[in-house]
Amino acid sequence: MTSGNLLYYGDNLDVLRRHVADGSVDLIYLDPPFNSNANYNVLFAAKDGHQSAAQIQAFEDTWQWDEGAARTFAETVEQGGAVADVLLAFEKFIPSSDMLAYLAMMAPRLIELRRALKPTGSLYLHCDPTASHYLKLLLDAVFGPERFVGEIVWKRYGAHNDSKTYGRVHDVLLFYTRSSEFTFNKQYEPYTEEYVAERFKFSDADGRRWAEQNLASPNPRPNLTYPFRAKNGITYEPPPNGWKYTEERLQALDDANRLHYPSKANGRLRMKNYLDERAGVPVQDVWTDLTAIGGTSSERLGYPTQKPEALLERIIAASSNEGDTVLDPFCGCGTTIAAAQKLGRRWIGIDVTHLAVGLMKTRLRDTFGDMARYKVVGEPTTAEDAAELAESDKYQFQWWALGLVGARPVEQKKGADKGIDGRLYFHDGGKQTRQIIFSVKGGHLTATAVRDLRGVLEREKADIAVLLSFETPTKLMRQEAASAGFYDSPWGKHARMQLVTVAELLDGKTLDYPRTAGIDQTYKTAPKHVRKVAEQRNVFGTEPPEGL
């Protein structure tokens, strides 16, 4: 496998088998479709605030028991073992069902994901209650029941008024490991104000808050029943069970001003447990502090099922270390790889649509700029590759071609595009949003395509129109485009009709339009990441630091 960050376009089962080596991945997070029988659309909010939102279907989450599902089921069962046993049990319980088709799809992928994990690696499968119980049995078969670490409940919504049932507000994360020796870094939540006020009642002269900690041993320790003479000149008798620490350590605590002397003659010594040295409350298996992305969130990019970065940051921080490799085989808009990049991990992202790959590339560019270095595998790199893609899948070709110039696609419904395959927005220094419209032609190119696009340019009152084609436009076509004139900006004149071929784009040619900030305004811009230098913290927990 090539080292470094990798973004794959393709079926994740094929990519895993061909490109991801055994034991090469430290952490896997996957958020596969949940068999919700829904079509998920990417929403593109209009940039001028007046147009209604546009959308394009990203993927169908509709599973059917058909010939393909039956073939996948049979191939997995024929390999034998525990996975075959559990699939056969599913077949008896839910025969020829859409859920069985979904589980048949997941089984070989989970087998490959386990193979890719290092012995110290972990897997988090994100799902909802629709399929979580089936997936847990399948994971038990793949990893072994003993490798189940826990089930995390993520409360993603505040409240739902669901009819005739309790409000459905949570998702499930199933946490499995490759072996018993797995990476885990305990995570913490901040203390509540109420807890701080109740527990850390005392303050030093400099304002540092602290709580009392008992120095008495909970069990009898005859070897620690020594009298202790403190710096205040008073000798304190040992507690009934003896001290918790040796005399040397207790003396070190006193020298560091960590002891609180009792005000009464018969009082007990206490240790000062400072608030600013505590990491917080250990994160439990019910997560209520990370809410779903709201409609006004700066993170929101419009992709269906997008998860908050804080959710992935917690998982990545807990189950990997800096420099480790994180894999997401259902990458979507790239929240996992964005969080991994932010936390200094290497990453591998896989998705089956060029729409998602394009969104990920835009997100990485907007958030990290030149800091995000990666290789894209599976995209066309030559005109021949592009021709093959255009022949096999018209819409994938459109999404890929539009992604080359940072444009976003429009609706796929027949007749809905009105001659427009994509749009790109920009600003030329003023407040008004400007628009470029695109027509993508993967087949034979005719002069009619140029004339039609010019008509759309006038009808839409767009500023620039671009014809992206596989074939090279003729001289007459270029003359027709030139007659459309120019768009004037503070940076000069820009042709209103531009004819660009796929080969030219692959050779590095760019569109001619104003780019005041170095990037266009087409997609919602992801917040920029500024890497912070980590501060060293002296975290005690309930024990004093080593050496005291």
Side-chain angles (χ1 to χ4, degrees):
M1 186 187 84
T2 305
S3 60
N5 301 325
L6 293 161
L7 184 55
Y8 288 96
Y9 160 71
D11 184 310
N12 53 27
L13 182 59
D14 179 61
V15 171
L16 288 167
R17 287 172 172 170
R18 293 175 57 195
H19 298 287
V20 182
D22 295 358
S24 61
V25 175
D26 297 279
L27 171 62
I28 296 169
Y29 168 86
L30 65 158
D31 181 14
F34 295 156
N35 197 48
S36 60
N37 293 323
N39 292 337
Y40 285 108
N41 294 334
V42 177
L43 302 178
F44 296 99
K47 297 299 175 181
D48 60 7
H50 298 292
Q51 303 170 23
S52 60
Q55 60 183 326
I56 185 168
Q57 185 172 304
F59 58 88
E60 292 184 8
D61 185 10
T62 305
W63 302 96
Q64 295 180 342
W65 184 259
D66 54 19
E67 182 180 348
R71 184 181 300 110
T72 303
F73 179 90
E75 290 173 353
T76 307
V77 167
E78 287 168 5
Q79 296 178 21
V83 176
D85 293 341
V86 76
L87 284 179
L88 290 170
F90 286 152
E91 184 183 36
K92 290 182 179 179
F93 184 60
I94 46 174
S96 303
S97 65
D98 295 344
M99 180 61 78
L100 184 60
Y102 171 69
L103 295 168
M105 180 276 295
M106 286 299 302
R109 287 161 174 81
L110 291 174
I111 292 170
E112 293 300 322
L113 291 172
R114 180 186 178 277
R115 175 192 60 76
L117 274 178
K118 292 180 181 178
T120 55
S122 302
L123 176 143
Y124 290 76
L125 193 157
H126 192 144
C127 54
D128 71 4
T130 305
S132 61
H133 48 306
Y134 295 115
L135 289 169
K136 187 172 184 297
L137 288 171
L138 189 55
L139 284 163
D140 280 350
V142 173
F143 284 85
E146 69 280 3
R147 296 281 71 85
F148 171 66
V149 178
E151 178 179 284
I152 299 163
V153 173
W154 173 42
K155 182 184 177 185
R156 59 184 302 175
Y157 302 113
H160 273 184
N161 187 23
D162 293 322
S163 177
K164 294 185 178 180
T165 187
Y166 301 104
R168 299 182 177 94
V169 297
H170 82 277
D171 282 355
V172 172
L173 291 105
L174 301 172
F175 177 18
Y176 282 75
T177 61
R178 180 67 191 266
S179 73
S180 59
E181 300 297 325
F182 57 93
T183 299
F184 190 76
N185 308 306
K186 191 177 289 293
Q187 300 297 296
Y188 297 87
E189 296 179 66
Y191 294 121
T192 64
E193 292 183 3
E194 293 78 11
Y195 179 82
V196 170
E198 179 182 349
R199 181 76 177 88
F200 296 89
K201 300 177 180 178
F202 309 100
S203 297
D204 286 345
D206 59 3
R208 289 185 73 192
R209 299 188 66 152
W210 53 272
E212 291 183 309
Q213 182 174 320
N214 195 350
L215 288 171
S217 172
N219 302 307
R221 304 183 71 178
N223 59 321
L224 298 181
T225 56
Y226 55 87
F228 177 72
R229 183 172 179 81
K231 286 197 304 184
N232 63 358
I234 298 176
T235 299
Y236 295 94
E237 294 301 317
N241 285 340
W243 301 104
K244 189 175 183 179
Y245 305 117
T246 65
E247 187 171 4
E248 292 76 15
R249 195 166 184 194
L250 202 58
Q251 185 63 59
L253 286 168
D254 197 19
D255 292 342
N257 299 317
R258 303 285 305 211
L259 296 185
H260 172 56
Y261 309 128
S263 56
K264 297 180 181 179
N266 61 345
R268 292 289 183 185
L269 279 177
R270 295 289 189 269
M271 187 180 83
K272 294 180 180 180
N273 198 342
Y274 285 103
L275 174 62
D276 60 12
E277 296 174 340
R278 300 297 299 271
V281 181
V283 172
Q284 308 297 300
D285 63 3
V286 177
W287 296 356
T288 61
D289 59 323
L290 308 174
T291 57
I293 298 174
T296 59
S297 171
S298 62
E299 277 189 50
R300 189 175 183 86
L301 300 177
Y303 197 82
T305 73
Q306 182 182 350
K307 302 303 185 292
E309 283 191 20
L311 179 73
L312 273 302
E313 287 174 11
R314 175 172 291 174
I315 293 169
I316 293 170
S319 292
S320 69
N321 297 312
E322 191 163 348
D324 284 352
T325 298
V326 179
L327 166 66
D328 187 341
F330 294 90
C331 213
C333 66
T335 301
T336 302
I337 64 176
Q341 178 75 30
K342 184 183 295 185
L343 295 177
R345 274 64 167 173
R346 292 191 295 270
W347 50 261
I348 301 170
I350 310 171
D351 204 272
V352 74
T353 74
H354 282 294
L355 176 62
V357 172
L359 283 169
M360 283 185 268
K361 291 161 67 175
T362 300
R363 182 176 191 171
L364 289 168
R365 180 199 66 190
D366 291 345
T367 306
F368 303 101
D370 294 337
M371 290 193 301
R373 299 181 180 276
Y374 59 94
K375 179 180 179 181
V376 182
V377 180
E379 284 194 323
T381 57
T382 66
E384 290 75 15
D385 294 340
E388 185 177 340
L389 177 61
E391 179 69 25
S392 63
D393 193 317
K394 170 186 174 183
Y395 290 117
Q396 291 291 346
F397 173 76
Q398 285 186 4
W399 293 345
W400 168 77
L402 291 167
L404 291 178
V405 294
R408 57 97 167 152
V410 298
E411 292 180 276
Q412 294 176 349
K413 294 179 181 179
K414 185 176 181 180
D417 60 12
K418 299 180 180 179
I420 303 171
D421 294 318
R423 299 179 190 269
L424 188 153
Y425 298 96
F426 68 95
H427 295 101
D428 62 3
K431 292 183 179 180
Q432 185 175 354
T433 300
R434 302 294 184 177
Q435 180 183 187
I436 303 174
I437 58 173
F438 292 82
S439 176
V440 181
K441 298 298 180 183
H444 179 58
L445 188 63
T446 66
T448 303
V450 180
R451 289 193 292 269
D452 289 347
L453 182 58
R454 182 169 180 180
V456 175
L457 173 68
E458 303 298 338
R459 184 193 73 212
E460 295 289 312
K461 295 181 172 59
D463 301 283
I464 296 172
V466 178
L467 177 65
L468 297 179
S469 65
F470 182 75
E471 292 186 351
T472 302
T474 66
K475 182 178 179 180
L476 289 176
M477 292 178 192
R478 294 194 181 278
Q479 289 176 346
E480 173 74 22
S483 67
F486 296 91
Y487 169 75
D488 293 323
S489 81
W491 293 269
K493 293 181 178 294
H494 313 271
R496 292 193 71 215
M497 284 278 294
Q498 300 180 27
L499 310 183
V500 184
T501 67
V502 166
E504 288 173 329
L505 291 175
L506 290 173
D507 285 340
K509 181 175 180 177
T510 58
L511 303 182
D512 179 18
Y513 72 97
R515 304 182 215 196
T516 57
I519 59 173
D520 62 71
Q521 306 293 320
T522 303
Y523 291 100
K524 183 172 180 184
T525 303
K528 283 191 176 297
H529 168 62
V530 178
R531 182 154 187 163
K532 299 178 181 178
V533 178
E535 296 180 357
Q536 289 293 104
R537 296 189 63 192
N538 189 8
V539 179
F540 290 8
T542 57
E543 297 289 326
E546 290 298 321
L548 292 186

